[in-house]
Amino acid sequence: MDVNAYALFTEQIHMLLTPRESGDDLSRFVQMVSRLYGRYFNDAYSRDGKIWQSRFESAVLQGEGRLLKAVVYMEWLPFILGFGEPQFYHWSSYSHHSGYRSDIFMMPVREYWQLGNTPFERQKKYRDIFEQGPDKAFGEQLLAAVKRGWPVADSDFLDYCDISAERRAPLRGKGRPKKTPSAHLSDTN
């Protein structure tokens, strides 16, 4: 599993991951992390039982420009969730992408590599992009898709993967459609 970006919080973990061989790699990875970290945590704090409340949630993310937007949004989450300035939050991949730290387990997305020919060019360009802030509408769409297990991808990709219409994010807004005023006939005799 390639770790492309991450943001760790006390109540939640956000990761952008790319399976190396098959989609099943994600489930096996999460299961392995859960077992290993669960064992460590329980031993360290003299407790037993599960440490996470629910199953992991995921969505397929594909399409030009979406991966880098997802990385930027994920690394802005410390600010969005009220943990402070994202540049100073140590539990995210921002420091790796911006060149302040090197995380040996990281494998940045292809769009990051395309920012420049040298590490210094990529890091500078990434910092410039990051300073513009996250695309909040895209981030909210992405989080909603993850919550529901919907793919965020180009329609050609969805067709190629034979993703059924029910598994695609709807194009309509939330809730019921608004009622339209209807004409009422009145009889005034």
Side-chain angles (χ1 to χ4, degrees):
M1 189 65 62
D2 290 334
V3 178
N4 308 121
Y6 65 92
L8 310 176
F9 304 99
T10 54
E11 298 287 325
Q12 52 190 298
I13 297 171
H14 296 262
M15 300 179 88
L16 181 61
L17 304 168
T18 302
R20 291 185 183 161
E21 294 180 22
S22 78
D24 294 336
D25 291 347
L26 177 61
S27 296
R28 284 193 290 273
F29 174 79
V30 171
Q31 185 180 40
M32 180 192 68
V33 168
S34 180
R35 284 182 182 160
L36 293 174
Y37 184 71
R39 187 176 309 133
Y40 158 78
F41 188 87
N42 285 338
D43 288 348
Y45 295 99
S46 300
R47 62 178 302 275
D48 58 0
K50 297 187 316 183
I51 59 170
W52 284 299
Q53 294 177 1
S54 62
R55 297 175 49 86
F56 75 97
E57 298 165 338
S58 66
V60 171
L61 179 62
Q62 178 273 339
E64 194 62 37
R66 288 190 178 116
L67 294 173
L68 195 59
K69 283 173 32 174
V71 170
V72 170
Y73 186 80
M74 187 178 298
E75 293 174 355
W76 267 94
L77 279 174
F79 180 77
I80 294 167
L81 297 175
F83 286 88
E85 293 297 318
Q87 299 90 327
F88 304 115
Y89 191 76
H90 295 289
W91 301 103
S92 81
S93 52
Y94 171 77
S95 293
H96 177 81
H97 288 121
S98 59
Y100 298 123
R101 177 181 73 220
S102 179
D103 293 332
I104 60 171
F105 57 88
M106 287 289 298
M107 178 58 70
V109 295
R110 183 183 73 250
E111 294 168 17
Y112 176 83
W113 288 101
Q114 294 170 346
L115 294 177
N117 292 325
T118 68
F120 303 109
E121 285 180 55
R122 288 188 291 272
Q123 293 159 356
K124 169 73 171 98
K125 189 108 176 225
Y126 183 77
R127 286 192 302 267
D128 293 343
I129 292 168
F130 189 83
E131 285 179 21
Q132 295 172 15
D135 180 339
K136 291 181 183 172
F138 172 78
E140 290 170 5
Q141 174 196 9
L142 181 60
L143 291 178
V146 167
K147 198 80 165 153
R148 292 171 179 85
W150 291 335
V152 178
D154 298 332
S155 59
D156 291 341
F157 177 81
L158 296 173
D159 292 340
Y160 173 78
C161 294
D162 198 27
I163 305 291
S164 65
E166 327 52 81
R167 299 292 301 157
R168 299 182 188 201
L171 299 176
R172 64 184 188 275
K174 294 180 182 177
R176 292 180 150 185
K178 292 183 179 178
K179 287 186 177 182
T180 55
S182 57
H184 292 285
L185 297 175
S186 61
D187 186 12
T188 54
N189 287 344

